[in-house]
Amino acid sequence: MNNKLTVSPSPHIRDNATTASIMLDVVIALIPAIIMSVYVFGMRAALIIAVCVASSVAFEFIFNRLVGKPCTIGDLSAVVTGVILALNLPVTLPLWMAIFGCAVAIIVAKGLFGGIGANFANPAILARVVMLVSFAKPMTEWLIPSMTNGSSLNISELVSGATPLALAAEGSLDKMPSYAQMAIGTIGGSLGETSAIALALGGTYLIARRVITATTPIVFLGTVGIMTALLGHDPILHLLTGGLFLGAIFMATDYSTSPLSEMGKVIFGLGCGIITVVIRLYGSYPEGVSFAILIMNILTPHIDRLTKTKPFGGVKA
Amino acid sequence: MIKKHLSGVKVAHRKNTEDSPAVQMPIPDRVTLPMLQNMGAPCKVLVKVGDEVKVGQVIGDTDEFLSAPIHASVSGKVTSVHEIVIATGVRCPAVTIESDKLQTVHESVSKPVINSREDVIKAMRASGLVGLGGAGFPTHIKYSPKNPETVDTLVVNAAECEPYITSDFRTMMDETSYLVKGIDTLINYFGFKQVVIGIEDNKPRAIEKLNKEFASNSKVKIVTLRSKYPQGAEKVLVYETTGRVVKEGRLPADAGVIVSNVTTITVFAKYLETGMPLVSRTVTVDGGAIAQPKNVVAPLGTSFKDIFEFCGGYKSQPAKILMGGPMMGIPVYSDEETLVKNNNAILAFNEQENKKFFETPCIRCGRCVRACPFDLMPRAIEMAFLNEQVDTLKELKANLCMECGCCSYVCPAKRQLVITNKLAKKMLREKAN
């Protein structure tokens, strides 16, 4: 034997999962929603998604370079942020605004707080909220998809109109789409929020691959459903619309900004659900998912502190 | 909330050598016996250079409480007494014996006379036995708890949860009669009300065979464990087989249990019949760099190199050599390292198996928390350690960590959580007061 032996700490074998493989799973889970966004809103949806992914990755690369950190674009987390942010935007949004949103997500929400795992709020949510406040009008201009021009980049061919929640808030129930349309996603809204079925499909994949546990989405959705029903509103309308599935499955389950323990996830989901319903029914915004998750993001360290695990055989000191 | 099962990780079994009954290897030219082959204190060398020694002769012993004597594993001449650094990084004396290949048995080797529990414990010490499953806890100390009247259960550890290792499995299959005798003796002299043998469900043949062997003994129960590492960890095994919880800072005896490795009991039964102390053992030799992986019976002190040569030598350059399994095994610096009592496997990994992992930032996925059998929070412990928050470490019960490796195994960011936890425990010990 003439070569040197490796001496390193145990364990000497590791699970195949890596940060990149987990992020890749999230991207795969988002594919049904991406396909539906293009189907419903046309090729401009694909353009917005592509621009968001490219600019998110570029901002991460540039930021790491500027602050002298190792390049982390290989972990694919910037890709995930780009896709999720894009799915939160209206198809009519000017591209420069989308690029600005990516800068907020990657540089402000993620980079400045220490990069992956250290951000206090979900980058896509923070960016969406900043954009909602900065570009109030373009961020809330929804188009009712016209199924005939699926491949058109010409947004003028789509008919503009309100989201189902806005219709409900206005009381214009006659224009309300059917439950089936809401589930499939041929309704007004942001790129990725309209198709509950596509989002649920992705969520099932994430749970099956054990990337996330079902706790947060189920508690979040359950709370919204039960609370709206108890308060005399239409629970199915509230469940299927307003980005609830997108938020509950893909944003409230963000590792960095949600609690570690299952008990913590129950509290987190419950909080998200309650705040969402309160904003929707009693606030001036028709939709409350982003704000609800953002507020619970900030409470996460406290929830973590309250829900520490009880070590096996541990004795109180 | 009481959980039905403790957590853990599913690891590939890789029990490649399970169909290979242990084969005796030829006596090597020389053996080197470190004087520390157990958990606890090292032995003092009782021979000097030039002495002629015979097989079974005591060459190292001590008055220290937690220790066991060491015997010559070959007959021949002592050629060197020197200090070495063993795999765990500890310095201790070692004795090298040049073998005359005659294996002349020492006069002191004789069948022990057993009439009482004290005789059994004395015999355990005289045999030099320590836990053969890996931990190397001196057997006679394990069987002398402070409160023997409250101990009613013997848990036999036959989980063999580490990948690759099959030496316990072969012992169960090939030396069943000794295992039966050993358990009978222990029941007779220690008055165990029940004996529970815990075996992982990846060894159905052993479960079937032992069920048949012990069918007539109502005190002995075979418990099939899920194949989920680390079922063989002491506190995990006690919980999974008896439902009892070994509390922080306590021993299994405080929960009324003594835990013994299946091979340890088998070897003890053999000692009672022959009087030959622990001078050789079965060891699983495997890994991608080994030409013919198999189970080998080798004299203690045989170099890994000699053992590998008996297994057809290297088929490719070894990149990492482990004493023990891949989850908790200790990497050694060279193949000159020698076989010790608690060494149940030697693995020689080739370059492909010697994967290098680079730490990336924690993404807070929580897998370490879900994998920890003891419900610790490895990531929180890591943070507290890096910030030197001793009080937080205490609160998080970092001291309970058994270093099983589940947290590091599952970590997608490949963080070295186990070694950090080890350092955290050290910090706790040093700064606790």
Side-chain angles (χ1 to χ4, degrees):
Chain A
M1 198 185 74
N2 45 29
N3 61 327
K4 287 193 171 163
L5 295 174
T6 304
V7 174
S8 59
S10 62
H12 306 283
I13 48 172
R14 299 293 187 94
D15 190 51
N16 290 329
T18 61
T19 302
S21 78
I22 289 173
M23 295 301 157
L24 184 65
D25 269 338
V26 179
V27 173
I28 292 170
L30 284 164
I31 287 175
I34 294 172
I35 292 172
M36 277 311 291
S37 75
V38 177
Y39 172 69
V40 172
F41 296 105
M43 283 311 284
R44 195 164 198 279
L47 179 68
I48 289 185
I49 294 168
V51 166
C52 281
V53 168
S55 51
S56 291
V57 172
F59 282 128
E60 177 136 312
F61 180 79
I62 294 165
F63 182 83
N64 284 337
R65 264 297 171 84
L66 282 179
V67 299
K69 282 184 131 195
C71 181
T72 51
I73 57 172
D75 66 24
L76 300 183
S77 63
V79 175
V80 170
T81 302
V83 176
I84 292 183
L85 180 59
L87 295 183
N88 273 289
L89 304 175
V91 71
T92 46
L93 194 77
L95 290 180
W96 70 267
M97 288 183 189
I99 295 169
F100 169 82
C102 293
V104 173
I106 297 295
I107 296 173
V108 181
K110 190 179 175 191
L112 292 180
F113 285 89
I116 188 167
N119 44 300
F120 77 97
N122 182 311
I125 294 238
L126 191 86
R128 178 185 149 98
V129 168
V130 167
M131 291 168 83
L132 206 56
V133 179
S134 313
F135 318 120
K137 195 156 178 293
M139 279 294 285
T140 49
E141 270 184 347
W142 313 112
L143 291 177
I144 297 295
S146 144
M147 304 300 294
T148 50
N149 60 350
S151 60
S152 170
L153 273 176
N154 183 358
I155 53 173
S156 64
E157 287 179 25
L158 295 171
V159 186
S160 77
T163 65
L165 278 183
L167 291 173
E170 285 167 11
S172 8
L173 295 177
D174 49 321
K175 291 181 198 156
M176 192 68 84
S178 69
Y179 290 150
Q181 281 175 307
M182 291 181 200
I184 295 165
T186 51
I187 52 172
S190 70
L191 292 187
E193 75 178 6
T194 61
S195 176
I197 288 178
L199 292 162
L201 201 65
T204 311
Y205 174 78
L206 288 184
I207 293 164
R209 294 276 296 158
R210 291 173 187 265
V211 172
I212 61 169
T213 61
T215 315
T216 310
I218 286 176
V219 175
F220 192 169
L221 295 172
T223 307
V224 170
I226 292 168
M227 244 182 106
T228 47
L230 288 179
L231 292 169
H233 291 262
D234 179 355
I236 299 175
L237 167 75
H238 278 277
L239 280 174
L240 294 180
T241 60
L244 184 62
F245 269 64
L246 181 62
I249 295 168
F250 290 98
M251 293 155 97
T253 55
D254 173 32
Y255 291 150
S256 309
T257 56
S258 67
L260 280 173
S261 69
E262 292 306 298
M263 194 56 209
K265 290 184 207 297
V266 171
I267 298 174
F268 187 88
L270 208 61
C272 285
I274 292 171
I275 299 171
T276 301
V277 174
V278 168
I279 294 177
R280 279 185 182 181
L281 299 186
Y282 307 112
S284 53
Y285 275 107
E287 294 164 20
V289 173
S290 303
F291 289 104
I293 297 174
L294 188 59
I295 291 167
M296 292 312 287
N297 282 168
I298 296 166
L299 290 177
T300 292
H302 303 291
I303 299 173
D304 268 342
R305 210 162 302 141
L306 283 174
T307 54
K308 275 198 201 116
T309 56
K310 279 202 179 55
F312 178 76
V315 175
K316 275 204 181 129
Chain B
M1 192 167 59
I2 299 293
K3 287 206 283 185
K4 199 160 169 261
H5 292 297
L6 300 183
S7 304
V9 293
K10 282 213 180 313
V11 288
H13 302 311
R14 301 190 198 285
K15 304 281 190 187
N16 313 317
T17 52
E18 65 180 352
D19 290 321
S20 137
V23 261
Q24 174 77 49
M25 72 171 275
I27 301 305
D29 294 340
R30 79 182 59 74
V31 295
T32 297
L33 294 151
M35 288 296 113
L36 182 57
Q37 301 195 26
N38 53 265
M39 189 185 281
C43 290
K44 288 194 186 75
V45 179
L46 301 180
V47 290
K48 52 188 188 305
V49 174
D51 283 1
E52 293 285 338
V53 292
K54 292 175 188 164
V55 179
Q57 181 179 345
V58 178
I59 59 163
D61 207 346
T62 171
D63 296 331
E64 293 283 336
F65 176 70
L66 196 61
S67 194
I70 289 164
H71 306 82
S73 57
V74 295
S75 60
K77 196 190 231 173
V78 175
T79 56
S80 165
V81 176
H82 55 284
E83 191 174 76
I84 59 163
V85 178
I86 57 174
T88 50
V90 180
R91 272 173 197 283
C92 74
V95 173
T96 301
I97 305 168
E98 205 78 45
S99 163
D100 59 13
K101 311 266 170 149
L102 299 174
Q103 289 302 84
T104 323
V105 175
H106 193 251
E107 304 75 53
S108 64
V109 173
S110 63
K111 192 177 153 155
V113 184
I114 305 288
N115 289 314
S116 66
R117 178 187 297 200
E118 286 66 40
D119 289 344
V120 177
I121 292 172
K122 245 169 77 187
M124 282 172 172
R125 189 179 194 285
S127 70
L129 257 183
V130 302
L132 298 179
F137 193 88
T139 306
H140 66 285
I141 304 294
K142 186 171 263 187
Y143 282 86
S144 321
K146 285 191 202 102
N147 43 353
E149 62 289 340
T150 62
V151 175
D152 58 0
T153 303
L154 172 66
V155 172
V156 181
N157 192 347
E160 203 159 52
C161 57
E162 275 260 17
Y164 292 96
I165 310 178
T166 60
S167 54
D168 282 346
F169 173 70
R170 284 323 316 181
T171 302
M172 284 186 271
M173 296 306 287
D174 306 331
E175 301 185 88
T176 329
S177 62
Y178 280 115
L179 176 61
V180 173
K181 279 181 202 164
I183 288 176
D184 282 345
T185 307
L186 294 173
I187 292 176
N188 281 343
Y189 289 101
F190 290 86
F192 293 115
K193 291 199 184 69
Q194 57 165 344
V195 177
V196 194
I197 307 178
I199 310 177
E200 273 196 355
D201 58 18
N202 62 1
K203 292 177 271 293
R205 280 179 285 166
I207 294 167
E208 194 195 331
K209 181 149 195 192
L210 295 195
N211 263 322
K212 220 176 275 168
E213 288 289 339
F214 288 103
S216 57
N217 193 336
S218 60
K219 279 188 180 171
V220 181
K221 195 170 81 189
I222 318 293
V223 173
T224 304
L225 306 163
R226 302 167 306 150
S227 292
K228 194 162 206 183
Y229 177 86
Q231 295 290 305
E234 195 165 71
K235 287 181 182 180
V236 177
L237 185 73
V238 169
Y239 184 73
E240 297 284 337
T241 54
T242 67
R244 298 184 194 178
V245 178
V246 180
K247 291 254 166 66
E248 181 180 358
R250 298 302 179 104
L251 293 170
D254 296 311
V257 178
I258 286 179
V259 184
S260 236
N261 168 268
V262 66
T263 304
T264 312
I265 294 174
T266 310
V267 169
F268 182 61
K270 263 191 189 168
Y271 172 75
L272 292 181
E273 208 145 278
T274 63
M276 178 57 77
L278 185 61
V279 294
S280 68
R281 72 157 296 154
T282 304
V283 60
T284 300
V285 184
D286 202 346
I290 300 296
Q292 299 149 18
K294 58 176 122 178
N295 283 301
V296 178
V297 178
L300 296 177
T302 307
S303 75
F304 288 5
K305 201 172 166 181
D306 289 340
I307 296 172
F308 291 155
E309 245 148 58
F310 178 66
C311 297
Y314 296 121
K315 81 179 168 200
S316 57
Q317 281 289 343
K320 186 187 251 183
I321 298 178
L322 296 176
M323 184 183 259
M327 291 301 285
M328 284 188 84
I330 304 164
V332 299
Y333 299 87
S334 127
D335 60 5
E336 306 285 333
E337 192 76 37
T338 60
L339 183 69
V340 291
K341 290 176 179 177
N342 56 338
N343 189 180
N344 50 2
I346 313 170
L347 306 177
F349 280 178
N350 60 25
E351 202 51 56
Q352 289 87 331
E353 291 166 317
N354 179 31
K355 291 210 183 80
K356 306 223 170 39
F357 304 101
F358 297 96
E359 283 192 339
T360 54
C362 169
I363 56 170
R364 281 177 45 92
C365 65
R367 287 172 192 223
C368 55
V369 182
R370 288 197 293 276
C372 179
F374 291 167
D375 290 331
L376 300 173
M377 303 185 87
R379 168 57 177 170
I381 292 172
E382 185 187 32
M383 291 288 279
F385 168 75
L386 295 174
N387 294 320
E388 295 190 42
Q389 295 164 329
V390 179
D391 287 340
T392 313
L393 285 180
K394 240 188 253 173
E395 237 173 78
L396 291 167
K397 298 280 178 202
N399 56 310
L400 281 176
C401 170
M402 57 176 161
E403 297 160 27
C404 66
C406 290
C407 50
S408 293
Y409 178 83
V410 296
C411 181
K414 311 297 167 198
R415 301 196 67 78
Q416 297 280 14
L417 296 164
V418 178
I419 199 79
T420 310
N421 224 322
K422 254 184 184 173
L423 294 169
K425 288 201 282 187
K426 189 163 166 263
M427 183 185 277
L428 264 182
R429 281 195 300 272
E430 284 165 1
K431 297 196 179 169
N433 324 312

